[in-house]
Amino acid sequence: MTSLLKKAEETLEKAHAGINPRWYPRYHLAARAGWMNDPNGLVWFDGWYHAFYQHHPYSTKWGPMHWGHARSKDLIHWEHLPVALAPEGPADKDGCFSGSAVVVGDTLALIYTGHKFHGPADTDDNLYQVQCLATSGDGIHFERHGMVIDTPPGLHHFRDPKVWREGEFWYMVVGSRVGDTGQVRLYRSVDLHKWYDEGIFAEAEQGMGYMWECPDFFTLNDRRVLMFSPQGVAAKGYQNRNLFQSGYLLGEWQPGQPFTHDGQFIEIDSGHDFYAPQSFLSPDGRRIVIGWLDMWESPMPEQQDGWAGMLSLPRELTLGDNNRLIMKPVEEVSAMRGSYFPVPAHCLKNQQVFVAADAEAVELILQWNCNESAAEQYGVTLGDGLRVYVDNQAQRLVLERNYLDFSLAGTRSIPLPEGNRLSLRIFIDRSSVEVFVNEGEACLSSRIYPQPGQRDIVLFANSGTAVLKEAGYWSLDK
């Protein structure tokens, strides 16, 4: 272990003992202490799921990036491992930025962005981002091989490589910025060491962002999906309300041919907090995605508690009949279910119905009959800070949070699905909520910060009647 990795471990061991656990997740992955953002290097290797992540072990603020590391047998119970990468070489002296992982025989390979400044760090003119390689035989200790792709001429923002195998070649997509235009660039290799530039893979049209971060490319049902996180997309009505978004383009591609798509960028999660999702394949062939359950420049009250940032539940991706991505929790999360508590109320008329007290880790199931529900608003609350409800006048499903002490207030919403059934699967953790709609047709994920005594779950219907077909919850226990 290098001196910088050893220093990071010693710092984390000491800091972890002092964190305040009031909002620390019960069943989501978070760093032991310090700062966490993008998931990196998601992969199955040697009998384990591995999750790496952007990490600053020395404070709860973003800083020189390391790669934190955890592994799991079941995507739910995570074991923290030593920090995998630290910024300690000429190619990554100012940070080991995001990247991906692939398995080559009995070797795990990490491909990541080396972040460095040639001169003062107060101008992008001195910024250079290159792609680097590190390998491991045991999945824990890594040998660094340095830079494998230099910064292309004229570029400065050039990061977040995602690598996959197709036929006889490895391919890599990298996010980049040219002026105020976001791009994804494509590379090809036979050995992960020497890469050939295949040119621009996709490029932002007017209004689609000045930088495309964290690109990912994969196949579902013979369709090609380019998933990425654009920066600089203006909000319009209910859409693109977060500072940055995450979503996808659906199209066609074959090696040696251009990527063609319909130009319709679709947000993958409609909540306040979801960014930089990365996908990988499970051993049984499922396409699984995990995202950062936070948003840039949003208050993070847990910073006062010694930690910052967490990852979403792992989610399985499939392609629906309407050529939209379906995203629902992986089946493994059901293993956390403890006792089930049904809610006997099936019709609410201008009333509130108590469901559960002090809900820290629950999975709530609600099935509303929309055709028979005429209340102006009906749904569920968690204390006085969170409401998930139907706005019948606007015909939208709304996630509303109000934590004014932390400058967190506002709504995110989606159009009500067609038909009379609205099925909600709501996962509540100590400081997060993830709402899955109609078996994954939509999802809204947000951070929440309930104070003591503000975790009771209550159903409500205002100005009319709301009809439930099913209601209940599971306690969740790892």
Side-chain angles (χ1 to χ4, degrees), residues 211-273:
M211 174 69 197
W212 284 8
E213 290 198 312
C214 303
D216 196 345
F217 191 69
F218 51 90
T219 302
L220 287 175
N221 290 9
D222 297 323
R223 300 299 307 276
R224 303 287 193 159
V225 182
L226 176 62
M227 185 171 66
F228 58 100
S229 297
Q231 297 180 321
V233 178
K236 183 178 181 181
Y238 291 108
Q239 295 181 309
N240 307 321
R241 299 309 308 181
N242 293 334
L243 176 63
F244 302 136
Q245 289 70 46
S246 294
Y248 63 93
L249 296 168
L250 195 65
E252 307 293 339
W253 179 78
Q254 292 298 326
Q257 301 296 317
F259 172 59
T260 59
H261 58 86
D262 61 9
Q264 185 181 13
F265 175 78
I266 302 171
E267 286 188 83
I268 198 169
D269 189 297
S270 299
H272 294 88
D273 296 292

Side-chain angles (χ1 to χ4, degrees), residues 119-262:
D122 57 356
T123 172
D124 282 358
D125 292 341
N126 294 330
L127 170 65
Y128 292 90
Q129 295 182 327
V130 301
Q131 313 317 316
C132 301
L133 176 67
T135 57
S136 172
D138 63 6
I140 299 175
H141 306 93
F142 289 87
E143 177 186 359
R144 297 155 57 92
H145 301 277
M147 181 183 72
V148 293
I149 300 179
D150 202 351
T151 315
L155 293 189
H156 294 280
H157 293 271
F158 174 63
R159 56 183 176 266
D160 311 335
K162 179 64 190 292
V163 176
W164 76 96
R165 181 84 180 187
E166 190 148 346
E168 59 182 314
F169 294 110
W170 295 100
Y171 291 91
M172 176 198 298
V173 285
V174 186
S176 64
R177 175 180 181 175
V178 176
D180 287 328
T181 300
Q183 291 180 339
V184 172
R185 305 174 79 93
L186 181 66
Y187 293 82
R188 176 176 54 87
S189 175
V190 295
D191 61 4
L192 299 179
H193 289 265
K194 186 174 183 180
W195 291 88
Y196 296 91
D197 188 347
E198 299 280 289
I200 297 172
F201 189 70
E203 189 169 47
E205 298 178 358
Q206 183 67 31
M208 269 307 297
Y210 59 78
M211 174 69 197
W212 284 8
E213 290 198 312
C214 303
D216 196 345
F217 191 69
F218 51 90
T219 302
L220 287 175
N221 290 9
D222 297 323
R223 300 299 307 276
R224 303 287 193 159
V225 182
L226 176 62
M227 185 171 66
F228 58 100
S229 297
Q231 297 180 321
V233 178
K236 183 178 181 181
Y238 291 108
Q239 295 181 309
N240 307 321
R241 299 309 308 181
N242 293 334
L243 176 63
F244 302 136
Q245 289 70 46
S246 294
Y248 63 93
L249 296 168
L250 195 65
E252 307 293 339
W253 179 78
Q254 292 298 326
Q257 301 296 317
F259 172 59
T260 59
H261 58 86
D262 61 9

Side-chain angles (χ1 to χ4, degrees), residues 7-9 11-12 15 33-35 55-60 64-66 83:
K7 180 181 177 182
E9 280 302 301
T11 300
L12 286 168
W35 170 274
H55 186 31
H56 187 230
Y58 301 110
S59 80
T60 60
M65 285 291 96
H66 297 54
V83 174

Side-chain angles (χ1 to χ4, degrees), residues 13 55 62 82 120 126 133 171 193 217 238 264 284 298 305 315-316 319 334 374 405-406 412 453 472 478:
E13 289 178 11
H55 186 31
W62 187 93
N126 294 330
L133 176 67
Y171 291 91
H193 289 265
F217 191 69
Y238 291 108
Q264 185 181 13
D284 58 5
S298 179
D305 293 345
R315 306 167 179 190
E316 182 180 357
L319 192 63
S334 297
D405 290 347
F406 308 120
R412 296 291 181 266
K478 290 178 67 176

Side-chain angles (χ1 to χ4, degrees), residues 310-328:
M310 58 189 286
L311 301 186
S312 72
L313 282 176
R315 306 167 179 190
E316 182 180 357
L317 292 181
T318 55
L319 192 63
D321 294 337
N322 60 353
N323 281 330
R324 295 287 187 97
L325 290 189
I326 303 296
M327 185 168 65
K328 58 185 179 181

